[in-house]
Amino acid sequence: DYDASVQYEGAPFYDYAFPPFEDPTFEYPPERRGNQFYAHAVGDIQFLMLDSQAIFGAGGREEQDVWMKERLADPRFRITIPVFHVSPYSSSIVHPDDGTPVRQSWNYLFEQANVPLVLSGHFHHYERLSANDITYIVTGGGSSILYAQGARLPESFMYVPRTHFVLLEFYPERIELQAISKEGDIFDQATIPLN
C-alpha cells in the first residue's frame, strides 16, 4: 500500500479509498495520517488496526507505538485483538523473514496485555500458529497467487495455501474460529479460550 505505484497526490491511495474510521471511544495523536492506525470497540473487546509498515520506515512509528501501548493498557476492555498487514510469523517459502521485525517490535507488548488472538496477512496462505499463549492467524488467502510452504515454524499448527476467509464467533469464555475456502469447505477450526 506504500509502493510508489499506488501513491496518489503524495499519499498512499489507501487514504483516499478508505476514509478515516471514526469511533468516538478513542482518541488519536494529532500527527496520525488519516486512518493510518485506529481502534474499534465491540462491547468489552477492542480491535486495534495497526500499520505494520511503520516498522519498515513508512513513518508514524513512534506515535503509533505510544498510542498502541495506551490502548493495550486500557482497563475498559477485557481483550484486545490486533489486526495488521505483515504477520510476525510465517512458514511461507516466499519472503519468510519479513515478519521478524514485527515479532521483535510488538510481540512482547501483546504478551504483556490480554491479547488472545492476532490477525494479519501479507503472506498468501492460511496459517494458524501459537506462541506464548497467543494464537496468530495468517489470513492472506485472497490473492490469485498462493505461497507454498517452506520450512515449517515450530509455532505452526496448520499451513494451507488456499483462497479463503476466516470466520470468528465471540463468546464470553472463548473465540470460535473457522477457516473457510472459497468453495465453502471448512478446512480449519479452533477454539481460543478467553481468561
Side-chain angles (χ1 to χ4, degrees):
D1 294 334
Y2 283 93
D3 293 344
S5 62
V6 291
Q7 296 282 313
Y8 178 73
E9 295 187 2
F13 186 73
Y14 172 88
D15 289 357
Y16 299 94
F18 301 99
F21 186 90
E22 300 297 331
D23 185 329
T25 308
F26 304 102
E27 294 182 10
Y28 301 97
E31 301 86 3
R32 180 185 71 145
R33 188 198 79 244
N35 63 345
Q36 181 181 13
F37 51 88
Y38 60 92
H40 180 68
V42 179
D44 61 356
I45 301 169
Q46 68 173 333
F47 293 85
L48 300 186
M49 311 312 245
L50 303 173
D51 180 8
S52 58
Q53 293 309 115
I55 293 172
F56 299 95
R61 181 174 181 175
E62 184 177 328
E63 294 83 8
Q64 178 177 238
D65 283 355
V66 168
W67 176 84
M68 178 176 57
K69 289 173 186 175
E70 291 171 358
R71 296 277 25 89
L72 290 170
D74 191 331
R76 295 178 295 173
F77 299 100
R78 185 168 57 102
I79 63 170
T80 298
I81 299 178
V83 182
F84 48 89
H85 182 70
V86 179
S87 177
Y89 299 96
S90 174
S91 300
S92 169
I93 198 168
V94 179
H95 45 73
D97 296 325
D98 280 8
T100 302
V102 178
R103 184 167 61 247
Q104 292 171 342
S105 297
W106 287 350
N107 280 24
Y108 77 96
L109 296 171
F110 301 155
E111 292 162 8
Q112 294 171 356
N114 197 6
V115 173
L117 173 67
V118 174
L119 302 170
S120 55
H122 184 59
F123 302 98
H124 299 184
H125 66 273
Y126 171 85
E127 190 167 10
R128 179 167 48 89
L129 309 101
S130 180
N132 297 319
D133 297 322
I134 297 175
T135 299
Y136 291 85
I137 299 295
V138 179
T139 178
S143 175
S144 61
I145 299 170
L146 299 171
Y147 296 168
Q149 181 179 324
R152 190 160 185 170
L153 295 175
E155 295 86 0
S156 181
F157 286 95
M158 175 170 277
Y159 186 105
V160 180
R162 287 184 84 173
T163 304
H164 71 277
F165 65 95
V166 172
L167 176 66
L168 300 171
E169 294 182 289
F170 290 83
Y171 298 92
E173 73 289 348
R174 71 191 192 282
I175 301 170
E176 293 292 339
L177 178 147
Q178 293 182 337
I180 304 170
S181 74
K182 70 176 182 177
E183 295 81 20
D185 303 323
I186 298 171
F187 62 87
D188 188 30
Q189 296 183 81
T191 299
I192 301 164
L194 301 177
N195 298 333

